[in-house]
PDB file of all heavy atoms in Angstrom:
ATOM      1  N   GLU A   1     -13.387  -0.849  14.453  1.00  0.00           N
ATOM      2  CA  GLU A   1     -13.736  -1.108  13.060  1.00  0.00           C
ATOM      3  C   GLU A   1     -12.470  -1.358  12.237  1.00  0.00           C
ATOM      4  O   GLU A   1     -11.380  -0.893  12.593  1.00  0.00           O
ATOM      5  CB  GLU A   1     -14.517   0.078  12.486  1.00  0.00           C
ATOM      6  CG  GLU A   1     -15.874   0.285  13.126  1.00  0.00           C
ATOM      7  CD  GLU A   1     -16.665   1.378  12.444  1.00  0.00           C
ATOM      8  OE1 GLU A   1     -16.109   2.067  11.575  1.00  0.00           O
ATOM      9  OE2 GLU A   1     -17.856   1.538  12.800  1.00  0.00           O
ATOM     10  N   ARG A   2     -12.650  -2.051  11.146  1.00  0.00           N
ATOM     11  CA  ARG A   2     -11.533  -2.275  10.247  1.00  0.00           C
ATOM     12  C   ARG A   2     -11.127  -0.945   9.615  1.00  0.00           C
ATOM     13  O   ARG A   2     -11.988  -0.137   9.239  1.00  0.00           O
ATOM     14  CB  ARG A   2     -11.910  -3.298   9.187  1.00  0.00           C
ATOM     15  CG  ARG A   2     -10.758  -3.768   8.343  1.00  0.00           C
ATOM     16  CD  ARG A   2     -11.010  -5.139   7.748  1.00  0.00           C
ATOM     17  NE  ARG A   2     -12.260  -5.259   7.024  1.00  0.00           N
ATOM     18  CZ  ARG A   2     -12.717  -6.410   6.540  1.00  0.00           C
ATOM     19  NH1 ARG A   2     -12.039  -7.532   6.719  1.00  0.00           N
ATOM     20  NH2 ARG A   2     -13.850  -6.437   5.886  1.00  0.00           N
ATOM     21  N   GLU A   3      -9.816  -0.725   9.489  1.00  0.00           N
ATOM     22  CA  GLU A   3      -9.337   0.538   8.954  1.00  0.00           C
ATOM     23  C   GLU A   3      -8.309   0.307   7.859  1.00  0.00           C
ATOM     24  O   GLU A   3      -7.585  -0.684   7.842  1.00  0.00           O
ATOM     25  CB  GLU A   3      -8.713   1.403  10.067  1.00  0.00           C
ATOM     26  CG  GLU A   3      -7.482   0.823  10.708  1.00  0.00           C
ATOM     27  CD  GLU A   3      -6.846   1.780  11.716  1.00  0.00           C
ATOM     28  OE1 GLU A   3      -7.390   2.868  11.964  1.00  0.00           O
ATOM     29  OE2 GLU A   3      -5.767   1.429  12.238  1.00  0.00           O
ATOM     30  N   PHE A   4      -8.244   1.268   6.964  1.00  0.00           N
ATOM     31  CA  PHE A   4      -7.310   1.252   5.859  1.00  0.00           C
ATOM     32  C   PHE A   4      -5.885   1.443   6.359  1.00  0.00           C
ATOM     33  O   PHE A   4      -5.636   2.253   7.265  1.00  0.00           O
ATOM     34  CB  PHE A   4      -7.675   2.375   4.874  1.00  0.00           C
ATOM     35  CG  PHE A   4      -6.612   2.701   3.870  1.00  0.00           C
ATOM     36  CD1 PHE A   4      -6.351   1.839   2.819  1.00  0.00           C
ATOM     37  CD2 PHE A   4      -5.885   3.877   3.985  1.00  0.00           C
ATOM     38  CE1 PHE A   4      -5.373   2.151   1.893  1.00  0.00           C
ATOM     39  CE2 PHE A   4      -4.910   4.200   3.063  1.00  0.00           C
ATOM     40  CZ  PHE A   4      -4.652   3.329   2.018  1.00  0.00           C
ATOM     41  N   VAL A   5      -4.936   0.702   5.762  1.00  0.00           N
ATOM     42  CA  VAL A   5      -3.519   0.843   6.097  1.00  0.00           C
ATOM     43  C   VAL A   5      -2.727   1.336   4.884  1.00  0.00           C
ATOM     44  O   VAL A   5      -2.033   2.350   4.955  1.00  0.00           O
ATOM     45  CB  VAL A   5      -2.931  -0.489   6.594  1.00  0.00           C
ATOM     46  CG1 VAL A   5      -1.433  -0.345   6.840  1.00  0.00           C
ATOM     47  CG2 VAL A   5      -3.642  -0.952   7.854  1.00  0.00           C
ATOM     48  N   ALA A   6      -2.817   0.602   3.772  1.00  0.00           N
ATOM     49  CA  ALA A   6      -2.007   0.935   2.602  1.00  0.00           C
ATOM     50  C   ALA A   6      -2.629   0.319   1.361  1.00  0.00           C
ATOM     51  O   ALA A   6      -3.312  -0.697   1.439  1.00  0.00           O
ATOM     52  CB  ALA A   6      -0.583   0.426   2.773  1.00  0.00           C
ATOM     53  N   THR A   7      -2.353   0.959   0.218  1.00  0.00           N
ATOM     54  CA  THR A   7      -2.848   0.439  -1.043  1.00  0.00           C
ATOM     55  C   THR A   7      -1.808   0.635  -2.140  1.00  0.00           C
ATOM     56  O   THR A   7      -0.954   1.527  -2.044  1.00  0.00           O
ATOM     57  CB  THR A   7      -4.176   1.116  -1.444  1.00  0.00           C
ATOM     58  OG1 THR A   7      -4.656   0.546  -2.663  1.00  0.00           O
ATOM     59  CG2 THR A   7      -4.008   2.617  -1.646  1.00  0.00           C
ATOM     60  N   ILE A   8      -1.883  -0.200  -3.164  1.00  0.00           N
ATOM     61  CA  ILE A   8      -0.959  -0.122  -4.284  1.00  0.00           C
ATOM     62  C   ILE A   8      -1.740  -0.387  -5.569  1.00  0.00           C
ATOM     63  O   ILE A   8      -2.640  -1.227  -5.596  1.00  0.00           O
ATOM     64  CB  ILE A   8       0.204  -1.126  -4.101  1.00  0.00           C
ATOM     65  CG1 ILE A   8       1.294  -0.924  -5.140  1.00  0.00           C
ATOM     66  CG2 ILE A   8      -0.290  -2.560  -4.080  1.00  0.00           C
ATOM     67  CD1 ILE A   8       2.605  -1.633  -4.773  1.00  0.00           C
ATOM     68  N   ASN A   9      -1.386   0.349  -6.620  1.00  0.00           N
ATOM     69  CA  ASN A   9      -2.145   0.190  -7.855  1.00  0.00           C
ATOM     70  C   ASN A   9      -1.675  -1.048  -8.615  1.00  0.00           C
ATOM     71  O   ASN A   9      -0.805  -1.793  -8.171  1.00  0.00           O
ATOM     72  CB  ASN A   9      -2.060   1.458  -8.708  1.00  0.00           C
ATOM     73  CG  ASN A   9      -0.730   1.577  -9.451  1.00  0.00           C
ATOM     74  OD1 ASN A   9       0.313   1.239  -8.902  1.00  0.00           O
ATOM     75  ND2 ASN A   9      -0.782   2.065 -10.670  1.00  0.00           N
ATOM     76  N   ARG A  10      -2.269  -1.252  -9.762  1.00  0.00           N
ATOM     77  CA  ARG A  10      -2.064  -2.496 -10.496  1.00  0.00           C
ATOM     78  C   ARG A  10      -0.623  -2.736 -10.902  1.00  0.00           C
ATOM     79  O   ARG A  10      -0.143  -3.876 -10.858  1.00  0.00           O
ATOM     80  CB  ARG A  10      -2.972  -2.511 -11.724  1.00  0.00           C
ATOM     81  CG  ARG A  10      -4.442  -2.721 -11.394  1.00  0.00           C
ATOM     82  CD  ARG A  10      -5.344  -2.484 -12.574  1.00  0.00           C
ATOM     83  NE  ARG A  10      -4.930  -3.224 -13.755  1.00  0.00           N
ATOM     84  CZ  ARG A  10      -5.548  -3.167 -14.921  1.00  0.00           C
ATOM     85  NH1 ARG A  10      -6.625  -2.398 -15.063  1.00  0.00           N
ATOM     86  NH2 ARG A  10      -5.106  -3.865 -15.938  1.00  0.00           N
ATOM     87  N   ASN A  11       0.099  -1.691 -11.302  1.00  0.00           N
ATOM     88  CA  ASN A  11       1.472  -1.915 -11.765  1.00  0.00           C
ATOM     89  C   ASN A  11       2.507  -1.587 -10.692  1.00  0.00           C
ATOM     90  O   ASN A  11       3.711  -1.633 -10.959  1.00  0.00           O
ATOM     91  CB  ASN A  11       1.746  -1.133 -13.044  1.00  0.00           C
ATOM     92  CG  ASN A  11       1.629   0.365 -12.864  1.00  0.00           C
ATOM     93  OD1 ASN A  11       1.603   0.869 -11.740  1.00  0.00           O
ATOM     94  ND2 ASN A  11       1.564   1.082 -13.970  1.00  0.00           N
ATOM     95  N   GLY A  12       2.053  -1.232  -9.515  1.00  0.00           N
ATOM     96  CA  GLY A  12       2.954  -1.000  -8.400  1.00  0.00           C
ATOM     97  C   GLY A  12       3.594   0.364  -8.362  1.00  0.00           C
ATOM     98  O   GLY A  12       4.437   0.614  -7.487  1.00  0.00           O
ATOM     99  N   ARG A  13       3.201   1.261  -9.251  1.00  0.00           N
ATOM    100  CA  ARG A  13       3.872   2.568  -9.324  1.00  0.00           C
ATOM    101  C   ARG A  13       3.220   3.622  -8.447  1.00  0.00           C
ATOM    102  O   ARG A  13       3.807   4.683  -8.224  1.00  0.00           O
ATOM    103  CB  ARG A  13       3.911   3.035 -10.773  1.00  0.00           C
ATOM    104  CG  ARG A  13       4.783   2.167 -11.648  1.00  0.00           C
ATOM    105  CD  ARG A  13       4.742   2.596 -13.091  1.00  0.00           C
ATOM    106  NE  ARG A  13       5.547   1.706 -13.935  1.00  0.00           N
ATOM    107  CZ  ARG A  13       5.573   1.756 -15.258  1.00  0.00           C
ATOM    108  NH1 ARG A  13       4.849   2.657 -15.904  1.00  0.00           N
ATOM    109  NH2 ARG A  13       6.330   0.898 -15.931  1.00  0.00           N
ATOM    110  N   SER A  14       2.033   3.348  -7.959  1.00  0.00           N
ATOM    111  CA  SER A  14       1.347   4.311  -7.093  1.00  0.00           C
ATOM    112  C   SER A  14       0.946   3.632  -5.797  1.00  0.00           C
ATOM    113  O   SER A  14       0.448   2.502  -5.807  1.00  0.00           O
ATOM    114  CB  SER A  14       0.099   4.864  -7.787  1.00  0.00           C
ATOM    115  OG  SER A  14       0.449   5.606  -8.930  1.00  0.00           O
ATOM    116  N   THR A  15       1.174   4.331  -4.703  1.00  0.00           N
ATOM    117  CA  THR A  15       0.812   3.824  -3.383  1.00  0.00           C
ATOM    118  C   THR A  15       0.162   4.930  -2.568  1.00  0.00           C
ATOM    119  O   THR A  15       0.300   6.123  -2.877  1.00  0.00           O
ATOM    120  CB  THR A  15       2.042   3.298  -2.631  1.00  0.00           C
ATOM    121  OG1 THR A  15       2.983   4.365  -2.470  1.00  0.00           O
ATOM    122  CG2 THR A  15       2.709   2.142  -3.367  1.00  0.00           C
ATOM    123  N   ASP A  16      -0.525   4.521  -1.521  1.00  0.00           N
ATOM    124  CA  ASP A  16      -1.113   5.474  -0.585  1.00  0.00           C
ATOM    125  C   ASP A  16      -1.153   4.812   0.778  1.00  0.00           C
ATOM    126  O   ASP A  16      -1.252   3.577   0.866  1.00  0.00           O
ATOM    127  CB  ASP A  16      -2.520   5.870  -1.043  1.00  0.00           C
ATOM    128  CG  ASP A  16      -3.068   7.066  -0.280  1.00  0.00           C
ATOM    129  OD1 ASP A  16      -2.264   7.809   0.316  1.00  0.00           O
ATOM    130  OD2 ASP A  16      -4.302   7.248  -0.271  1.00  0.00           O
ATOM    131  N   PHE A  17      -1.066   5.637   1.809  1.00  0.00           N
ATOM    132  CA  PHE A  17      -0.977   5.119   3.164  1.00  0.00           C
ATOM    133  C   PHE A  17      -1.877   5.909   4.103  1.00  0.00           C
ATOM    134  O   PHE A  17      -2.113   7.105   3.908  1.00  0.00           O
ATOM    135  CB  PHE A  17       0.467   5.206   3.680  1.00  0.00           C
ATOM    136  CG  PHE A  17       1.436   4.392   2.883  1.00  0.00           C
ATOM    137  CD1 PHE A  17       2.080   4.942   1.799  1.00  0.00           C
ATOM    138  CD2 PHE A  17       1.689   3.073   3.225  1.00  0.00           C
ATOM    139  CE1 PHE A  17       2.965   4.187   1.042  1.00  0.00           C
ATOM    140  CE2 PHE A  17       2.571   2.313   2.484  1.00  0.00           C
ATOM    141  CZ  PHE A  17       3.207   2.866   1.388  1.00  0.00           C
ATOM    142  N   ALA A  18      -2.325   5.241   5.145  1.00  0.00           N
ATOM    143  CA  ALA A  18      -2.991   5.943   6.236  1.00  0.00           C
ATOM    144  C   ALA A  18      -1.980   6.841   6.931  1.00  0.00           C
ATOM    145  O   ALA A  18      -0.787   6.508   7.012  1.00  0.00           O
ATOM    146  CB  ALA A  18      -3.567   4.940   7.224  1.00  0.00           C
ATOM    147  N   ASN A  19      -2.444   7.957   7.441  1.00  0.00           N
ATOM    148  CA  ASN A  19      -1.536   8.897   8.112  1.00  0.00           C
ATOM    149  C   ASN A  19      -0.814   8.241   9.282  1.00  0.00           C
ATOM    150  O   ASN A  19       0.342   8.565   9.564  1.00  0.00           O
ATOM    151  CB  ASN A  19      -2.318  10.108   8.608  1.00  0.00           C
ATOM    152  CG  ASN A  19      -2.744  11.023   7.471  1.00  0.00           C
ATOM    153  OD1 ASN A  19      -2.126  11.048   6.409  1.00  0.00           O
ATOM    154  ND2 ASN A  19      -3.813  11.772   7.683  1.00  0.00           N
ATOM    155  N   SER A  20      -1.471   7.311   9.937  1.00  0.00           N
ATOM    156  CA  SER A  20      -0.892   6.681  11.124  1.00  0.00           C
ATOM    157  C   SER A  20       0.317   5.806  10.813  1.00  0.00           C
ATOM    158  O   SER A  20       1.082   5.477  11.724  1.00  0.00           O
ATOM    159  CB  SER A  20      -1.956   5.845  11.840  1.00  0.00           C
ATOM    160  OG  SER A  20      -2.470   4.852  10.970  1.00  0.00           O
ATOM    161  N   VAL A  21       0.499   5.427   9.545  1.00  0.00           N
ATOM    162  CA  VAL A  21       1.613   4.536   9.207  1.00  0.00           C
ATOM    163  C   VAL A  21       2.592   5.165   8.207  1.00  0.00           C
ATOM    164  O   VAL A  21       3.620   4.550   7.890  1.00  0.00           O
ATOM    165  CB  VAL A  21       1.106   3.186   8.653  1.00  0.00           C
ATOM    166  CG1 VAL A  21       0.126   2.539   9.630  1.00  0.00           C
ATOM    167  CG2 VAL A  21       0.489   3.335   7.270  1.00  0.00           C
ATOM    168  N   LYS A  22       2.294   6.350   7.732  1.00  0.00           N
ATOM    169  CA  LYS A  22       3.184   7.004   6.758  1.00  0.00           C
ATOM    170  C   LYS A  22       4.579   7.164   7.331  1.00  0.00           C
ATOM    171  O   LYS A  22       4.742   7.587   8.478  1.00  0.00           O
ATOM    172  CB  LYS A  22       2.618   8.368   6.362  1.00  0.00           C
ATOM    173  CG  LYS A  22       1.568   8.299   5.278  1.00  0.00           C
ATOM    174  CD  LYS A  22       1.080   9.684   4.890  1.00  0.00           C
ATOM    175  CE  LYS A  22      -0.004   9.585   3.824  1.00  0.00           C
ATOM    176  NZ  LYS A  22      -0.567  10.907   3.476  1.00  0.00           N
ATOM    177  N   GLY A  23       5.563   6.828   6.511  1.00  0.00           N
ATOM    178  CA  GLY A  23       6.950   6.925   6.937  1.00  0.00           C
ATOM    179  C   GLY A  23       7.449   5.708   7.676  1.00  0.00           C
ATOM    180  O   GLY A  23       8.657   5.567   7.908  1.00  0.00           O
ATOM    181  N   ARG A  24       6.546   4.817   8.068  1.00  0.00           N
ATOM    182  CA  ARG A  24       6.934   3.593   8.791  1.00  0.00           C
ATOM    183  C   ARG A  24       6.660   2.334   7.978  1.00  0.00           C
ATOM    184  O   ARG A  24       7.405   1.358   8.067  1.00  0.00           O
ATOM    185  CB  ARG A  24       6.195   3.495  10.117  1.00  0.00           C
ATOM    186  CG  ARG A  24       6.450   4.651  11.059  1.00  0.00           C
ATOM    187  CD  ARG A  24       5.869   4.383  12.450  1.00  0.00           C
ATOM    188  NE  ARG A  24       4.412   4.253  12.425  1.00  0.00           N
ATOM    189  CZ  ARG A  24       3.773   3.166  12.873  1.00  0.00           C
ATOM    190  NH1 ARG A  24       4.435   2.138  13.374  1.00  0.00           N
ATOM    191  NH2 ARG A  24       2.443   3.123  12.839  1.00  0.00           N
ATOM    192  N   PHE A  25       5.588   2.341   7.208  1.00  0.00           N
ATOM    193  CA  PHE A  25       5.173   1.171   6.435  1.00  0.00           C
ATOM    194  C   PHE A  25       5.385   1.437   4.952  1.00  0.00           C
ATOM    195  O   PHE A  25       5.243   2.570   4.475  1.00  0.00           O
ATOM    196  CB  PHE A  25       3.689   0.870   6.648  1.00  0.00           C
ATOM    197  CG  PHE A  25       3.314   0.360   8.008  1.00  0.00           C
ATOM    198  CD1 PHE A  25       4.190   0.399   9.087  1.00  0.00           C
ATOM    199  CD2 PHE A  25       2.045  -0.169   8.223  1.00  0.00           C
ATOM    200  CE1 PHE A  25       3.833  -0.062  10.339  1.00  0.00           C
ATOM    201  CE2 PHE A  25       1.661  -0.642   9.464  1.00  0.00           C
ATOM    202  CZ  PHE A  25       2.553  -0.582  10.526  1.00  0.00           C
ATOM    203  N   THR A  26       5.720   0.381   4.227  1.00  0.00           N
ATOM    204  CA  THR A  26       5.740   0.445   2.764  1.00  0.00           C
ATOM    205  C   THR A  26       4.977  -0.741   2.201  1.00  0.00           C
ATOM    206  O   THR A  26       4.931  -1.808   2.830  1.00  0.00           O
ATOM    207  CB  THR A  26       7.164   0.445   2.200  1.00  0.00           C
ATOM    208  OG1 THR A  26       7.849  -0.731   2.654  1.00  0.00           O
ATOM    209  CG2 THR A  26       7.937   1.672   2.622  1.00  0.00           C
ATOM    210  N   ILE A  27       4.377  -0.544   1.043  1.00  0.00           N
ATOM    211  CA  ILE A  27       3.654  -1.607   0.361  1.00  0.00           C
ATOM    212  C   ILE A  27       4.299  -1.814  -0.994  1.00  0.00           C
ATOM    213  O   ILE A  27       4.721  -0.851  -1.651  1.00  0.00           O
ATOM    214  CB  ILE A  27       2.150  -1.267   0.232  1.00  0.00           C
ATOM    215  CG1 ILE A  27       1.370  -2.448  -0.351  1.00  0.00           C
ATOM    216  CG2 ILE A  27       1.931   0.014  -0.577  1.00  0.00           C
ATOM    217  CD1 ILE A  27      -0.154  -2.253  -0.311  1.00  0.00           C
ATOM    218  N   SER A  28       4.406  -3.059  -1.396  1.00  0.00           N
ATOM    219  CA  SER A  28       4.989  -3.382  -2.695  1.00  0.00           C
ATOM    220  C   SER A  28       4.311  -4.631  -3.240  1.00  0.00           C
ATOM    221  O   SER A  28       3.581  -5.321  -2.515  1.00  0.00           O
ATOM    222  CB  SER A  28       6.497  -3.594  -2.571  1.00  0.00           C
ATOM    223  OG  SER A  28       6.789  -4.665  -1.696  1.00  0.00           O
ATOM    224  N   ARG A  29       4.560  -4.905  -4.504  1.00  0.00           N
ATOM    225  CA  ARG A  29       3.971  -6.090  -5.121  1.00  0.00           C
ATOM    226  C   ARG A  29       4.943  -6.684  -6.124  1.00  0.00           C
ATOM    227  O   ARG A  29       5.763  -5.967  -6.708  1.00  0.00           O
ATOM    228  CB  ARG A  29       2.635  -5.754  -5.793  1.00  0.00           C
ATOM    229  CG  ARG A  29       2.745  -4.822  -6.977  1.00  0.00           C
ATOM    230  CD  ARG A  29       1.357  -4.372  -7.443  1.00  0.00           C
ATOM    231  NE  ARG A  29       0.587  -5.481  -7.993  1.00  0.00           N
ATOM    232  CZ  ARG A  29      -0.741  -5.481  -8.090  1.00  0.00           C
ATOM    233  NH1 ARG A  29      -1.444  -4.437  -7.661  1.00  0.00           N
ATOM    234  NH2 ARG A  29      -1.368  -6.521  -8.626  1.00  0.00           N
ATOM    235  N   ASP A  30       4.819  -7.979  -6.304  1.00  0.00           N
ATOM    236  CA  ASP A  30       5.603  -8.699  -7.301  1.00  0.00           C
ATOM    237  C   ASP A  30       4.608  -9.354  -8.248  1.00  0.00           C
ATOM    238  O   ASP A  30       3.959 -10.338  -7.871  1.00  0.00           O
ATOM    239  CB  ASP A  30       6.497  -9.737  -6.607  1.00  0.00           C
ATOM    240  CG  ASP A  30       7.448 -10.424  -7.567  1.00  0.00           C
ATOM    241  OD1 ASP A  30       7.095 -10.593  -8.753  1.00  0.00           O
ATOM    242  OD2 ASP A  30       8.540 -10.810  -7.131  1.00  0.00           O
ATOM    243  N   ASN A  31       4.484  -8.797  -9.438  1.00  0.00           N
ATOM    244  CA  ASN A  31       3.484  -9.292 -10.376  1.00  0.00           C
ATOM    245  C   ASN A  31       3.909 -10.574 -11.092  1.00  0.00           C
ATOM    246  O   ASN A  31       3.153 -11.100 -11.914  1.00  0.00           O
ATOM    247  CB  ASN A  31       3.120  -8.211 -11.391  1.00  0.00           C
ATOM    248  CG  ASN A  31       2.175  -7.177 -10.813  1.00  0.00           C
ATOM    249  OD1 ASN A  31       1.780  -7.254  -9.648  1.00  0.00           O
ATOM    250  ND2 ASN A  31       1.811  -6.185 -11.607  1.00  0.00           N
ATOM    251  N   VAL A  32       5.093 -11.054 -10.783  1.00  0.00           N
ATOM    252  CA  VAL A  32       5.521 -12.369 -11.272  1.00  0.00           C
ATOM    253  C   VAL A  32       5.180 -13.434 -10.223  1.00  0.00           C
ATOM    254  O   VAL A  32       4.694 -14.519 -10.555  1.00  0.00           O
ATOM    255  CB  VAL A  32       7.026 -12.384 -11.585  1.00  0.00           C
ATOM    256  CG1 VAL A  32       7.494 -13.783 -11.931  1.00  0.00           C
ATOM    257  CG2 VAL A  32       7.334 -11.409 -12.720  1.00  0.00           C
ATOM    258  N   LYS A  33       5.415 -13.106  -8.957  1.00  0.00           N
ATOM    259  CA  LYS A  33       5.135 -14.037  -7.866  1.00  0.00           C
ATOM    260  C   LYS A  33       3.702 -13.949  -7.373  1.00  0.00           C
ATOM    261  O   LYS A  33       3.301 -14.689  -6.462  1.00  0.00           O
ATOM    262  CB  LYS A  33       6.094 -13.794  -6.703  1.00  0.00           C
ATOM    263  CG  LYS A  33       7.551 -14.092  -7.036  1.00  0.00           C
ATOM    264  CD  LYS A  33       8.440 -13.877  -5.817  1.00  0.00           C
ATOM    265  CE  LYS A  33       9.887 -14.227  -6.131  1.00  0.00           C
ATOM    266  NZ  LYS A  33      10.776 -14.019  -4.953  1.00  0.00           N
TER     267      LYS A  33
END
């Protein structure tokens, strides 16, 4: 099944990760690009 990996809020200041990827993956966003 499809599983959650990472999420980021609208302004990029809050993130959350699946336990399986914590410490290895990061999520970011560029609200200009």
Side-chain angles (χ1 to χ4, degrees):
E1 294 186 352
R2 189 156 53 187
E3 64 175 3
F4 165 73
V5 176
T7 182
I8 189 165
N9 78 321
R10 287 169 51 181
N11 62 14
R13 294 177 182 172
S14 295
T15 60
D16 192 20
F17 298 90
N19 287 335
S20 59
V21 305
K22 277 182 182 176
R24 300 189 297 123
F25 290 12
T26 57
I27 186 171
S28 61
R29 66 189 293 159
D30 186 329
N31 282 0
V32 173
K33 295 182 178 180

